[in-house]
Amino acid sequence: MSRMSASPRLSIDVAAAAAELLPGLRASPPLAHCITNSVVTGFTANVLLAIGAAPAMVDIIGESGMFAQIASGVLINLGTPTPEQRAASLEAADGATSAGTPWVLDPVAIGALPVRTELAAELVSRRPTAIRGNPSEILALAGLSAGGRGVDATDAPDAAIDAARSLAGRWGSTVAVSGEVDLITDGERLIRIANGDALLTRVTGGGCALGAVMAAFLGSARDTDIDVLTTVAAASLVYTVAAERAAATASGPGSFDVALLDALAALEPGDVIAAARVEEGAL
């Protein structure tokens, strides 16, 4: 579990939390340990560097658990779960748990595909700090659906609210459902973030990189009194506001990919507060 304060600030506004956490992350870069899919490794590392974090892609058996214990935050993404990555993921989850390192599970394309679905079930039972996925993945992880079409969701975010509540209640995880409006819940409270742009779905790794950003923010927040739900929402807000700024200058997916890195690097706390479209309430 995370080493965040035992008395978290539950009432802090998400935009205010993002504005507080972003400078702290840049001043003291968290080490984000990512076991992620081979399609997005480079992009994910560049996103982490752009926001000010330090990426490390350690997916070797015998090293991943050890590294998870010294990292600030961990991402386990199931996009391309080779046999070695599967074993390394379980090792990293156990290492993170034993050391109190916050970790994020991204159950990519689970449901109809048996290998990754079984692995996701093993990993979620280890109680990740946060779970991030599209609506179909969250439904499948909760056992309420057969999943989407590969990595693409076939369900809307609101369809996954009950599944997210169930996962949060059973495993004690904050659950983030990505979509046109992002939903983040701890099983009792619900945050909706309407920022973002459709171009995020037109580049490889748009969602996967968000999981890494969440891991970095959770690592950076470990010594603060900002709770996990708010931290995960703050990470999503920073990422989606940057996506909007990138889309405003991009002419298509190719230029958006580059512009997103530039926007993340240039984003200031005031930009996040000014652009935030966030609703918070009870679930």
Side-chain angles (χ1 to χ4, degrees):
M1 299 297 290
S2 163
R3 290 191 215 132
M4 291 182 178
S5 168
S7 301
R9 250 182 304 165
L10 301 180
S11 61
I12 184 171
D13 176 81
V14 171
E20 179 179 335
L21 289 169
L22 184 59
L25 183 152
R26 290 169 172 166
S28 183
L31 179 59
H33 172 197
C34 301
I35 298 178
T36 193
N37 75 77
S38 58
V39 181
V40 305
T41 303
F43 181 70
T44 299
N46 284 336
V47 164
L48 288 169
L49 288 168
I51 64 167
M57 277 52 183
V58 181
D59 59 1
I60 298 172
I61 300 169
E63 292 185 356
S64 63
M66 182 187 308
F67 205 85
Q69 294 181 43
I70 64 173
S72 307
V74 176
L75 167 68
I76 298 177
N77 173 298
L78 307 187
T80 53
T82 63
E84 176 138 352
Q85 269 205 349
R86 296 200 295 272
S89 294
L90 293 167
E91 185 181 296
D94 290 340
T97 299
S98 68
T101 306
W103 65 284
V104 178
L105 173 62
D106 192 337
V108 177
I110 68 164
L113 300 172
V115 172
R116 70 188 65 224
T117 302
E118 291 172 10
L119 177 59
E122 285 191 70
L123 287 165
V124 77
S125 72
R126 286 160 164 81
R127 298 181 176 271
T129 311
I131 301 165
R132 189 223 70 87
N134 68 39
S136 297
E137 291 161 350
I138 297 302
L139 282 160
L141 190 61
L144 301 176
S145 165
R149 188 185 63 181
V151 299
D152 295 326
T154 55
D155 301 278
D158 278 333
I161 289 178
D162 287 343
R165 180 196 289 115
S166 173
L167 290 169
R170 183 173 184 183
W171 304 116
S173 306
T174 287
V175 182
V177 185
S178 296
E180 186 174 351
V181 175
D182 291 344
L183 309 178
I184 303 100
T185 184
D186 60 2
E188 296 180 359
R189 295 169 292 158
L190 178 67
I191 296 172
R192 294 177 181 267
I193 298 176
N195 295 92
D197 192 90
L199 281 172
L200 277 171
T201 66
R202 303 277 305 280
V203 298
T204 299
C208 296
L210 174 55
V213 172
M214 289 175 178
F217 268 74
L218 286 166
S220 187
R222 290 168 80 178
D223 296 323
T224 75
D225 59 358
I226 300 175
D227 68 300
V228 172
L229 175 72
T230 307
T231 299
V232 171
S236 182
L237 180 61
V238 165
Y239 190 73
T240 53
V241 168
E244 288 181 344
R245 293 169 70 88
T249 64
S251 57
S255 54
F256 173 77
D257 205 341
V258 175
L260 178 60
L261 299 178
D262 290 343
L264 286 165
L267 198 66
E268 296 294 336
D271 301 328
V272 180
I273 291 174
R277 287 177 287 156
V278 179
E279 293 181 3
E280 303 178 55
L283 189 60

